[in-house]
Each structure stands twice: as structure tokens, then as C-alpha cells.
Amino acid sequence: MTKRQSPSPAKDVDMAPADTAAKKAKVGHDHAYPQDIYTIESDFLKNSKFEILYMACRARAEVPRYLLEYVGAKYTSKAPVNWPAGKKNTPFGVLPILTHHKPNGDELEIPETGSFVRYLGRLFGLDGDTLEEQVTVDVFYQAAADNLLNICFQELWNKPDPTDKDVISNCFAKLEPFFDGFEKYLVKNGSNGYVIKEKTTYADFSIFDWMNHFFEAYSDHMTKLVSPTVRPALHKLYTRLDSHPRIRAYIEGGRWEHRPSVPLLSLYSAGINVTDYEKSLEFYTKKVGLACVLNVAPPGFGEKERYLELTTEKDGSGTKFTIYCPGTSLEKFQEKYKIPTTSAVAFNVADVKDAHDRLVKNGVEFSMPPANMPWGSLAMFNDPDGNKISLTSTKQFQE
């Protein structure tokens, strides 16, 4: 197909090539996997542009986006403005659709995700070198694209309450055999984080996309499914792509409507500040029935200063209810940080210092700069009404 008309007016999500966003991530051979630093050599591909037409969400268009980001291609992600009216101008009335704008002015329009993922894989050399390798890549890709999707629809998303813990657990139990299968393929290839040799293929992005989603949405379950000690070959593939400069820049977002730049990962805790932590601990554990999962003395202000985390889950998972007692130095605590004694809210972040720096650039004012604590690190900012919101991480930062 050549020279098509757009099926409907479309909204440009972004036109920047991958390296523009990744330049701060140091795209170069200092990456842990230097063979993964892809450079487009041919003039044909350097001067090619690609367009993905899809809704402003990840779903079926995410794997080809990962692939185009990985190679550093010039591409646009567009969302149709009036899709019902534009459906009739597409091959099958479904999205996504890839259009390859060639240097000579010709255009190739390809519907069906699997078809254009394979096209891109072959075009950029992200496929097997032999027929046997190619079918291995295809099997790996298709198993992730079809089987995992079917399980999630049947066992999770189509259930009356997809947030029910038992429903989620059952879904992940059904996913396990497929993850075992992926692991076997990777182990057969030497457990080096690749499906074929030491070469990235389009299949890698299919399973990576699922793992990225599961780690974000169901981290408690996913860490039991894939970790450095559980299916370690899959974990190596995940960390290899997750640490890739272009992929990391894409995930961190800011260029895309479906990948907003949000340093906050999740609500970590909501809690209170008290004057006597021993009385509060007894009240909330013995009378209310919460489990105390952390009880530490922060560095700081005086005797009986204490920080506690409680939860309804005995294993310590889920959002925490926190108790902080400044001890005998309440006045000093209040004077320095001007924090109310009644309540506290905290968001979980990957890196407190990085989140702090990014929010400061956005005009957020911090009452407490990043500080390392016994449990990790902490910072506090003000909202427009003067409420104090905390950023917390289990990791300490280098001062």
C-alpha cells in the first residue's frame, strides 16, 4: 500500500527521536550490555520515519514502540481524534496501524501488531539469522503476545472484581507455566538474558512489556514470579532491557501522553504524629489489631523519638500506617520542619534525591531536604495549603 489518507484527524503525541530523550542517560558503550547499543547505519533507515496510530495508551502498541525506541528510529505516536468516523479508511477497522514513511516518498501501511512487529524486527535486523532461530523468536514472541493476554483476560480483567487478592493470586498461578516455558528457552540459550545468542530480537520486547506491566501493577506477585533467584534468566532479560538507556528514558516518560513523567510510584503510607509512641503502639496493635512491621529510632532530636510502620497484612505488604513520635524534642522538631502533629502522608519513590530534584524543577517547595534514615531515605514538600507530604524510599542515597 502506498500514499494513504489519514483515517481521521490525528493528535501528535511526540516527534522526538529516542536519543533526544535518552541523551542524559549516556547512550554509549559504557552501558552494561554494549552490544545492545544500536546504531542505524543505512541511509534508507536513517531517513525513514514511522507512525504508529493507536489510542494514547500502552497495550497493543507498546512492543513496537519499545522496538523503535531501542534502535533510535524517528517515529511518531498518534492518537485518532475521531476514530468512529475514521475506521472505514483503515484496512480492517482496527488499531494499531504502522505506517513506514520511506525516503523516496512512498508509504507502507501495515495493520495488525504481530505483522508490523515482525516487519520492524526484520527491517532493523532484530530477528534470528537462520530459519530455526527465526521460528524460535516467533514462538517466544507469539507465546507472550497471545497466551499471557488470554490468561489475563480470562482470569483477571473479565472478573467481577479484578482487584480481589484471590483473583490476582489465581491469575498469577495460571501464568506460572508460561513463565516456566520462557525460562526454559532462555536457559537453553545460556541464561544470558537473550532469546538468541547475545542478540536482541523483537521477541525480547514482548515478554519485557508484560514483566514491566506486572512489576508496576502487581509487584508483590511479580517478585515471587521473577527475581534474581526465581527464574533468573527471565530476570536477567528484564534488567538488561530495563537498564537500556533509550528504554529507560522512554519508561521514565515526559514525552508521551501514555508515559507521563511522574516520579511518584505509589502511595507508601498515611499516618499520624504522636506524643507517646508506646501508648500508640499498644493501642493500634492490641486494641485495633494492626501488625507492627517496623519500629526504629531515627537519628535526631532526643529521647523517645520513634518511627513505626503498621499494616493490616502480617507479611508487611500493602500501604503502611505510620506513627512518628519526635520524643522529648517536639518543639525543636516543629520549629525546624513546621510539621503538624495530627497526620502524615508519604509517597513511595525509587530514589528520594532524584524525585526531590525533579519536583524542585517543577516548582515544588520542600520543607525537609532529602535525608538518609535507618529504613532508607526521606524528604518532605509543601502543598498549596501547607500540608506536608513525604517522599520515601527503602534505598539510601549517596550524600
Side-chain angles (χ1 to χ4, degrees):
M1 252 178 230
T2 59
K3 296 294 184 184
R4 72 177 179 88
Q5 290 184 341
S6 178
S8 64
K11 176 182 177 183
D12 284 340
V13 180
D14 188 75
M15 275 294 290
D19 282 346
T20 302
K23 61 184 179 180
K24 291 184 179 180
K26 299 180 180 178
V27 176
H29 293 280
D30 55 346
H31 178 49
Y33 296 88
Q35 65 270 29
D36 280 353
I37 304 303
Y38 191 101
T39 302
I40 297 176
E41 300 289 352
S42 77
D43 289 337
F44 174 77
L45 291 178
K46 284 180 181 178
N47 295 306
S48 287
K49 293 182 180 180
F50 301 87
E51 173 191 305
I52 295 175
L53 183 67
Y54 196 56
M55 306 305 176
C57 61
R58 292 156 64 173
R60 296 182 183 275
E62 197 69 346
V63 170
R65 291 186 189 122
Y66 277 133
L67 195 155
L68 290 168
E69 293 282 346
Y70 176 87
V71 300
K74 298 173 183 176
Y75 81 103
T76 307
S77 190
K78 287 189 173 182
V81 175
N82 185 5
W83 173 237
K87 289 178 69 172
K88 63 181 183 294
N89 296 322
T90 64
F92 300 117
V94 294
L95 296 178
I97 295 171
L98 175 79
T99 302
H100 179 183
H101 300 273
K102 300 179 181 181
N104 65 359
D106 287 346
E107 295 180 358
L108 175 63
E109 182 185 68
I110 312 172
E112 300 300 326
T113 306
S115 297
F116 64 73
V117 165
R118 293 181 183 92
Y119 173 76
L120 291 172
R122 293 161 187 161
L123 191 66
F124 287 99
L126 303 181
D127 198 358
D129 296 323
T130 67
L131 183 61
E132 184 175 332
E133 289 178 354
Q134 289 165 4
V135 76
T136 298
V137 170
D138 197 37
V139 166
F140 202 94
Y141 167 79
Q142 205 64 45
D146 287 347
N147 295 325
L148 300 189
L149 182 65
N150 291 338
I151 292 294
C152 286
F153 267 118
Q154 294 169 11
E155 306 297 337
L156 183 62
W157 299 329
N158 286 342
K159 296 294 184 181
D161 183 6
T163 65
D164 182 84
K165 290 183 179 180
D166 291 336
V167 170
I168 296 171
S169 296
N170 180 65
C171 177
F172 272 81
K174 296 291 180 64
L175 290 170
E176 281 196 36
F178 293 100
F179 276 80
D180 286 338
F182 296 133
E183 182 76 3
K184 289 176 183 177
Y185 271 95
L186 296 173
V187 169
K188 185 178 180 180
N189 191 49
S191 299
N192 59 1
Y194 298 84
V195 178
I196 298 294
K197 301 174 182 174
E198 287 191 353
K199 178 182 180 180
T200 297
T201 66
Y202 64 85
D204 300 10
F205 300 105
S206 187
I207 187 61
F208 172 77
D209 181 37
W210 278 108
M211 290 194 288
N212 177 257
H213 169 66
F214 289 150
F215 273 120
E216 289 181 357
Y218 310 101
S219 59
D220 290 346
H221 289 81
M222 191 58 192
T223 52
K224 297 174 184 176
L225 195 65
V226 175
S227 74
T229 56
V230 180
R231 301 179 182 88
L234 268 171
H235 186 265
K236 184 172 287 188
L237 183 150
Y238 176 77
T239 55
R240 175 176 69 83
L241 289 178
D242 189 59
S243 65
H244 188 279
R246 289 173 181 155
I247 300 297
R248 176 66 3 220
Y250 170 70
I251 290 173
E252 289 179 354
R255 299 190 296 132
W256 303 91
E257 189 174 335
H258 61 277
R259 285 283 192 180
S261 180
V262 180
L264 310 183
L265 300 179
S266 61
L267 179 65
Y268 181 79
S269 68
I272 57 174
N273 298 318
V274 302
T275 56
D276 188 324
Y277 82 88
E278 291 174 324
K279 286 184 178 179
S280 296
L281 177 61
E282 182 178 9
F283 175 80
Y284 282 104
T285 55
K286 295 185 177 180
K287 294 186 178 181
V288 177
L290 298 179
C292 182
V293 295
L294 183 67
N295 185 341
V296 294
F301 298 100
E303 295 180 9
K304 291 194 173 182
E305 183 186 11
R306 212 73 177 178
Y307 174 78
L308 301 92
E309 291 184 353
L310 300 94
T311 177
T312 57
E313 306 296 327
K314 302 301 181 183
D315 61 0
S317 62
T319 303
K320 309 297 188 296
F321 173 69
T322 64
I323 295 174
Y324 178 71
C325 175
T328 57
S329 55
L330 178 60
E331 277 188 28
K332 186 177 180 182
F333 176 73
Q334 286 289 91
E335 181 181 350
K336 183 169 183 178
Y337 297 125
K338 298 180 175 60
I339 297 174
T341 59
T342 54
S343 63
V345 174
F347 285 96
N348 188 39
V349 297
D351 185 306
V352 166
K353 182 67 166 60
D354 177 67
H356 164 272
D357 294 345
R358 291 168 67 181
L359 291 176
V360 166
K361 289 180 181 178
N362 291 339
V364 176
E365 295 182 2
F366 278 74
S367 58
M368 176 182 174
N372 285 324
M373 297 291 177
W375 65 87
S377 49
L378 180 73
M380 296 182 189
F381 66 84
N382 308 324
D383 77 358
D385 292 303
N387 295 305
K388 308 298 176 181
I389 309 298
S390 298
L391 305 179
T392 186
S393 172
T394 56
K395 299 178 182 178
Q396 293 189 338
F397 62 89
Q398 190 171 359
E399 298 184 81

